[in-house]
Amino acid sequence: MAFQKAVKGTVLVGGGALATILGLSQFSHYRRKQVNLAYVEAAEYFTEPVNREPPSREAQILTLKNTPEFDILVIGGGATGSGCALDAVTRGLKTALVERDDFSSGTSSRSTKLIHGGVRYLQKAIMKLDIEQYRMVKEALHERANLLEIAPHLSAPLPIMLPIYKWWQLPYYWVGIKLYDLVAGSNCLKSSYVLSKSRALEHFPMLQKDKLVGAIVYYDGQHNDARMNLAIALTAARYGAATANYMEVVNLLKKTDPQTGKEHVSGARCKDVLTGQEFDVRAKCVINATGPFTDSVRKMDDKNAAAICQPSAGVHIVMPGYYSPESMGLLDPATSDGRVIFFLPWQKMTIAGTTDTPTDITQHPIPSEEDINFILNEVRNYLSCDVEVRRGDVLAAWSGIRPLVTDPKSEDTQSISRNHVVDISESGLITIAGGKWTTYRSMAEDTVNAAIKIHNLKAGPSRTVGLFLQGGKDWSPTLYIRLVQDYGLESEVAQHLAATYGDKAFEVAKMASVTGKRWPIVGVRLVSEFPYIEAEVKYGIKEYACTAVDMISRRTRLAFLNVQAAEEALPRIVELMGRELNWDDHKKEEELETAKKFLYYEMGYKSRSEQLTDRTEISLLPSDIDRYKKRFHKFDADQKGFITIVDVQRVLESINVQMDENTLHEILNEVDLNKNGQVELNEFLQLMSAIQKGRVSGSRLAILMKTAEENLERRVPIPVDRSCGGL
């Protein structure tokens, strides 16, 4: 029995027909009225959360163990699974949620960070007269408006520029973007507009100007995806759902119906990944919301179940903020191979992606060098030749697995469903698969509706439209000013806390350590160039963070912004977590190594090491080799053929610069390819060759040696801060 729905609620039902009957102006008025009514109607059902703060993980596990039977057990703590738990618990259903890893550890934290209806889907809907695509866009635009409403601290409208390089494309794309505004109706964020060539370059000065005709700017939403996912899960916990991360489903429980003699799913055998303890969680209904791992749970129910997931890898890269304006994104609608690339400002950096290639299902997807270079090449096509797009400026890279699905009840089992699919197995297991981040709430509503219908659960309608997520209710754009005034935080840190935790930012500020400086008074940073502070580590544990990886990737976003900065912060993060969670030295070392492995493979650090190896070709002009040898020998005064920490210290002391030994060790270790504690001349020449090719940037040793050479006579301080820290 397939249960699939593409159109949501009274706001959206019959929109196309109504527009035809009423006319566009009347239809827009009707839409505004219906949206307002939907929010009011939903608000009448709202109750206050049963918990002021989410219960501890230990308390949640006790609830899972001691509850005789839940109404609904959700497997999967991504956006959709967390959304299902929130939808169910706010209807008054006794709800449990278990996640094998951390909340948002999979696809939900590795998105393009957009909340969008899908411009390209609307184009396909029009070109192919595809009503399903049209409905999907319409639903997504409604959900976009709702998400911006319920989590204003984590999301905001973002203007996105579509550069035009051929005159005929201007009216073509203008009509398409205006239709996008029209379909959004009252949910349109801001009206799109056309820019002349000169105005486009004012807004996006690094844009390729040759043959540029003009540009069209439209609006979509942007969010902090992992924090949004976490907010959904925490909100569900506050409303009474028993939620637990690092809780793996070992197998499904079944019992026989005495009337029909058929088996039906009645819960799951769960294993606490952190302790190894196993126990049963009973439930009237089990929902499978495991994204790319959908089929593994379906096969627990029926080993002969046909696979429905068609995994596709989407790689993104992060580059320094100077590659894009602070508040304007870019859309490349037709890449060299027909894909779409977004180039967006995010967290004061620039994010570019995504690719779309078939992949195997894995818990630990790795970004490939081929995909990283594909994105870089596409970026080069749109940026001015004055801007050198360097491989070394890639600060982080990741791959997310998009769980495309085929409808198991469709006659054409090979066709990919462009919408989400809700499927009910013979034994009553409900699977929700496919869809997109933006529509997580409507997907959850459809899934819980199916659960109520199939399992005869007593519950009212969905109440999640307009339901504020944790941190959103009392947030305001000026909230950060109170944090500065009341606690003595830096303005940048205060803005970050307000944008990450919303009205819960005050609780983080209360935990902040005194700096010992005149200003800021509190708020010790984890790394100097990012506004993350030590208090967030303590608060992150209250948000169910259990590992160092949780902290660097999903409570903070350091790993997604700059892997070198994340690695630098790791020792302090592990120390703080160890203090709070009573880790012994062995556990601390284990956490440190696991987190470094995560950065190395999953966040692009491996790609960094591959840019500079002992096999790196030296392709320098003879004049360059002579120049770099001269620079090297300024440090290698004894003509040993290598330099050590002692050599660097000697040169620095001669120009009255002091630097601690640990920092010097880190600087040399970045270039010490054979890890023998010294940098040979050949290694230095390999480094300079890689820098010239743009494969490496921000090398502290190269900057230090160049500046020392230039200033040995002038005796001025040498800057050694990481420059961009590119991969």
Side-chain angles (χ1 to χ4, degrees), residues 185-242:
S186 62
N187 293 321
C188 181
L189 302 179
K190 290 184 182 179
S191 184
S192 58
Y193 55 90
V194 176
L195 290 175
S196 65
K197 176 179 179 178
S198 60
R199 290 284 289 162
L201 291 172
E202 279 182 34
H203 286 282
F204 213 118
M206 55 285 293
L207 198 61
Q208 171 65 262
K209 61 184 75 173
D210 294 342
K211 298 183 181 180
L212 181 67
V213 172
I216 299 171
V217 177
Y218 73 98
Y219 286 80
D220 256 325
Q222 188 177 50
H223 70 153
N224 186 336
D225 53 2
R227 293 294 316 182
M228 185 73 80
N229 191 158
L230 186 62
I232 299 166
L234 292 171
T235 306
R238 289 183 62 209
Y239 273 88

Side-chain angles (χ1 to χ4, degrees), residues 560-573:
F560 283 80
L561 296 171
N562 189 316
V563 292
Q564 285 183 282
E567 186 182 46
E568 285 181 20
L570 266 176
R572 183 58 178 160
I573 288 173

